[in-house]
Amino acid sequence: MAIPIVYNIRSVRARWTSTIVAVLGIAGTVGVFIAMLSLARGFQATLVASGSPDNALIVRAGATSEMTSGVPLDSVKIIQDAPGIARGANGPMVTPEAVLMAPIPLLSTGTEANVELRGVSPNVLEIRKQVKIVQGRMFKAGLAEVVVGKNATNTYSGLTLGQTIALGTVRWQVVGIFDAGGSSFDSEVWGDSHLLSAAYSRPDNSFQSVTVHLTSPEALGQLKDSVTTDPRLNVDVIREIDYYAKQSTSLTTLITRLGGFVAMIMAIGAVFGALNTMYSAVADRGREIATMRALGFGGPSVVFSFLIEALLISFVGGVLGCLAVLRLNGLTTSTINFQTFSNLAFAFKITPDLLVMGVVFALAMGVFGGIFPAIRAASLPVATALREL
Amino acid sequence: MIRVDGQGNGKSLIQVRGLSKTYRRGGEEIQVLQRLNLDVDKGDFVGFMGPSGSGKTTLLNLLGGLDVPTQGSITVDGDEITHMSGSKLTKWRARHVGFIFQMYNLIPVLTAYQNVELPLLLTKLSGSERRKHVETALSVVGLTDRMNHYPRQLSGGQEQRVTIARAIVSDPTFLLCDEPTGDLDRKSADEIMALIEELVAKHGKTVLMVTHDPVVAARAHTTLHLEKGVLVEASKVEQGVVAGGVA
């Protein structure tokens, strides 16, 4: 049987000052690790939530985002008749969209940030079913009215219900607030696409993208075959959810790598903290270890015992780090979406798997911080250590 | 019967033959034990005396399997331990040796009960069997009422009693005592020695004890002196004769 774990628990408690240092080091590292990953997760979730598997996005062939795309009105008309597109009471469920940027002052600092203006068709709510008007009403086609995403209304000045705001050459009235289920649309302002283009002196017969509602998720292939082989069209078709997932890749990769790097640097510090704690534990308890060895506990038992102790410390640190960072969950922050150069609000998303990853990360630090002191403990010369004072 | 001339009948519990131990310090070789012989029978109580640095503790460490000799052999109850591997020796210690240390060497974060239970964790005894053994050992040393106390809550004498309980709890082949009263006042020392004597007389334990104190040594059946790396019986020390030659 191994050395009883109660020995480790009480030893850790007896040396609480050095234990706290190690625990805090590990907790801080785990906290940063989870915070960075939850930031990336939140950003990714926000963008991915913007897409629906039932929708397809059509952009100019070769365009990497809506901002670099252009779909002329003639193409939109051809696309509307393509197979695989669902039809509603008002005809094909298609929304040709114009995407523009407008600098609007932030409520928090008063400085201007780019807000994405999306010119949409009045039937857009039938196509993007996750978007719901929660206050006011939908804008009316042909009127200088806009509806505002719930994050945008809370983030920028002049975007609350009933206010008017100058966008381009026109003053617009905010007639509704919508909830897009935590997606990137929540940071946008939507209005009539023809009027928005005109307000910014953009050609009325060109759009950045066309979003269509499919008869079923499986109809994508049919639509794709049809529009990509039509010689009159020069477009790419992508499932909407995939488009937004791809849009999130570069920033999530950046955040994850940066977060990983920072966490790794901190982890090295935390491992040294754990090493220091464990080495001093071994040094302080040389006689105890030797006594155990004299009584008949083998070297592997001692290694295991000290590893358990290091893991105990790191586990407490890991859990503490998780608890400390848990309050960030759901906290909204914003960043520039590099694909559109607009400000995108998103929330830290701390999921159970991230917490598990945090604890596993902590335990890994515990193993690195504990294994060498544990080996040293097992290889202490018993006869000499027994007489240590 | 205890012999130091290497002429035992081969039936002794502990047989030491030609035992030498040499240490290297810097470039210098220090020979601590020189071709030492010893025979100890079951139930014997041997005291080892000698000046500081004479090798008493080294001998005890070798007998307890905590150190390996440079030459010679140690056989305990038919097992030759000098050529055992480290892990085998560890298992052998657990089964055959009970250690009693000068500084008690109790684990401070464990209660008296848990300290005494430690050697039993290496056996296949069940929890309830272990409890029975621990309670018996603690009752032998008169500390049943202190079983839930931590070492810091006990006096020196009581701590040494717990150490003795830990040493006897697994019923080892023999007990090794390294200055068992070295850290105690005379009264406590007397009590501890009375307890050790009782273990020998009543429970038939074999005890090998190192001490500086002639009063304590006098309580052993036989006192051996370590001089110049060899063992000499106390009576022969007075006559100036060393085993195997003249001192």
Side-chain angles (χ1 to χ4, degrees):
Chain A
M1 196 184 279
I3 294 168
I5 196 162
V6 67
Y7 168 67
N8 303 103
I9 294 171
R10 289 187 189 155
S11 294
V12 164
R13 215 171 51 190
R15 292 176 302 105
W16 62 272
T17 41
S18 64
T19 301
I20 280 179
V21 174
V23 164
L24 290 181
I26 290 169
T29 307
V30 168
V32 169
F33 177 70
I34 296 177
M36 295 301 265
L37 288 184
S38 68
L39 207 62
R41 284 279 173 91
F43 183 78
Q44 190 174 33
T46 298
L47 279 180
V48 170
S50 307
S52 158
D54 290 335
N55 289 347
L57 193 82
I58 299 167
V59 290
R60 180 175 56 78
T64 52
S65 74
E66 286 178 296
M67 299 308 289
T68 57
S69 165
V71 182
L73 184 59
D74 295 345
S75 299
V76 174
K77 285 178 178 166
I78 298 166
I79 290 166
Q80 279 177 335
D81 295 327
I85 296 176
R87 289 175 185 279
N90 303 314
M93 293 171 78
V94 172
T95 170
E97 299 185 344
V99 181
L100 303 114
M101 290 300 142
I104 300 178
L106 288 163
L107 278 173
S108 55
T109 59
T111 53
E112 289 182 337
N114 274 343
V115 180
E116 196 162 316
L117 308 180
R118 186 176 290 274
V120 296
S121 295
N123 67 344
V124 68
L125 297 183
E126 289 174 43
I127 296 163
R128 296 210 175 93
K129 294 184 192 300
Q130 80 272 33
V131 181
K132 310 276 181 221
I133 299 289
V134 289
Q135 281 181 60
R137 58 173 174 78
M138 184 58 175
F139 70 82
K140 286 182 179 157
L143 293 180
E145 295 176 345
V146 288
V147 288
V148 177
K150 66 173 182 191
N151 282 336
T153 192
N154 294 328
T155 310
Y156 303 99
S157 61
L159 290 183
T160 50
L161 188 63
Q163 282 190 303
T164 57
I165 184 164
L167 297 172
T169 55
V170 177
R171 281 201 80 78
W172 304 76
Q173 185 169 20
V174 179
V175 296
I177 307 296
F178 64 83
D179 181 349
S183 69
S184 64
F185 298 132
D186 276 326
S187 299
E188 294 182 355
V189 174
W190 289 3
D192 183 297
S193 60
H194 298 291
L195 285 183
L196 265 177
S197 293
Y200 282 88
S201 307
R202 296 267 290 262
D204 188 26
N205 59 355
S206 180
F207 303 90
Q208 259 68 55
S209 66
V210 180
T211 300
V212 303
H213 189 63
L214 300 166
T215 49
S216 71
E218 293 74 37
L220 179 74
Q222 194 184 8
L223 171 68
K224 204 170 183 173
D225 288 346
S226 165
V227 298
T228 53
T229 54
D230 190 323
R232 296 169 296 171
L233 298 172
N234 180 31
V235 294
D236 280 339
V237 181
I238 184 167
R239 200 181 291 281
E240 194 184 31
I241 200 164
D242 295 338
Y243 170 79
Y244 284 105
K246 208 171 156 191
Q247 295 292 296
S248 70
T249 308
S250 57
L251 194 64
T252 49
T253 306
L254 179 72
I255 296 173
T256 306
R257 284 192 183 162
L258 198 66
F261 178 71
V262 172
M264 210 42 73
I265 297 288
M266 289 186 71
I268 292 169
V271 164
F272 274 105
L275 273 171
N276 188 41
T277 301
M278 293 309 297
Y279 270 126
S280 68
V282 171
D284 291 349
R285 281 146 62 194
R287 198 150 61 110
E288 289 173 32
I289 297 161
T291 303
M292 301 268 200
R293 300 277 282 122
L295 293 179
F297 289 96
S301 287
V302 172
V303 170
F304 183 70
S305 176
F306 273 81
L307 255 186
I308 288 285
E309 198 164 314
L311 289 175
L312 204 69
I313 291 170
S314 60
F315 179 74
V316 172
V319 170
L320 219 77
C322 287
L323 290 176
V325 88
L326 210 54
R327 53 196 303 175
L328 286 180
N329 191 33
L331 194 76
T332 306
T333 183
S334 63
T335 187
I336 294 287
N337 180 356
F338 292 135
Q339 304 298 326
T340 61
F341 299 105
S342 65
N343 211 38
L344 177 66
F346 63 100
F348 283 85
K349 194 173 171 69
I350 298 174
T351 51
D353 68 311
L354 272 190
L355 296 177
V356 171
M357 275 170 74
V359 173
V360 170
F361 185 42
L363 293 178
M365 284 188 271
V367 169
F368 280 112
I371 188 73
F372 300 109
I375 290 170
R376 173 184 276 194
S379 47
L380 283 175
V382 180
T384 316
L386 272 175
R387 296 174 74 84
E388 273 179 11
L389 289 178
Chain B
M1 187 184 167
I2 296 157
R3 298 183 70 117
V4 293
D5 57 3
Q7 304 298 311
N9 58 8
K11 291 178 182 169
S12 306
L13 179 71
I14 301 169
Q15 291 175 61
V16 178
R17 293 288 178 269
L19 195 71
S20 297
K21 180 70 184 176
T22 306
Y23 289 109
R24 277 191 176 278
R25 197 166 293 159
E28 201 185 344
E29 262 195 2
I30 301 164
Q31 187 145 33
V32 184
L33 303 176
Q34 298 181 44
R35 296 191 305 281
L36 181 149
N37 297 309
L38 176 68
D39 285 85
V40 178
D41 286 340
K42 191 174 183 323
D44 278 340
F45 180 9
V46 194
F48 296 105
M49 289 194 75
S52 291
S54 61
K56 302 184 298 292
T57 300
T58 300
L59 175 60
L60 221 59
N61 288 339
L62 292 171
L63 291 170
L66 297 173
D67 203 351
V68 285
T70 313
Q71 252 184 348
S73 69
I74 300 169
T75 307
V76 179
D77 207 10
D79 294 329
E80 220 268 72
I81 66 165
T82 33
H83 294 109
M84 282 185 183
S85 66
S87 60
K88 219 168 168 190
L89 206 52
T90 303
K91 283 180 189 154
W92 176 84
R93 275 201 305 270
R95 175 69 197 91
H96 294 281
V97 193
F99 288 98
I100 298 167
F101 305 100
Q102 178 183 357
M103 303 301 294
Y104 329 128
N105 288 27
L106 294 175
I107 307 299
V109 295
L110 300 180
T111 61
Y113 179 93
Q114 289 165 331
N115 267 288
V116 176
E117 192 188 23
L118 276 176
L120 298 181
L121 297 176
L122 296 160
T123 66
K124 288 178 178 163
L125 294 176
S126 68
S128 60
E129 287 170 324
R130 286 204 303 270
R131 171 162 280 275
K132 227 157 95 182
H133 279 70
V134 173
E135 284 172 354
T136 306
L138 283 169
S139 75
V140 167
V141 300
L143 277 181
T144 315
D145 57 336
R146 296 278 193 276
M147 65 165 71
N148 294 320
H149 285 56
Y150 288 92
R152 64 174 181 279
Q153 297 168 319
L154 302 171
S155 68
Q158 287 172 329
E159 281 195 75
Q160 194 59 298
R161 282 167 183 273
V162 176
T163 308
I164 292 170
R166 184 178 66 186
I168 62 172
V169 72
S170 57
D171 192 21
T173 308
F174 65 106
L175 301 180
L176 289 178
C177 312
D178 190 0
E179 303 274 9
T181 59
D183 202 46
L184 299 174
D185 57 53
R186 178 54 62 194
K187 185 173 172 289
S188 302
D190 281 344
E191 286 170 6
I192 291 299
M193 286 315 299
L195 185 56
I196 292 173
E197 281 174 333
E198 189 185 316
L199 291 175
V200 176
K202 264 174 108 178
H203 301 276
K205 295 288 171 200
T206 307
V207 177
L208 289 85
M209 173 181 71
V210 158
T211 182
H212 268 108
D213 186 345
V215 177
V216 169
R219 308 205 36 179
H221 296 164
T222 307
T223 303
L224 300 174
H225 282 258
L226 247 175
E227 288 188 8
K228 295 178 183 171
V230 291
L231 283 169
V232 190
E233 284 179 57
S235 55
K236 290 183 181 171
V237 173
E238 286 157 18
Q239 296 163 17
V241 181
V242 204
V246 177

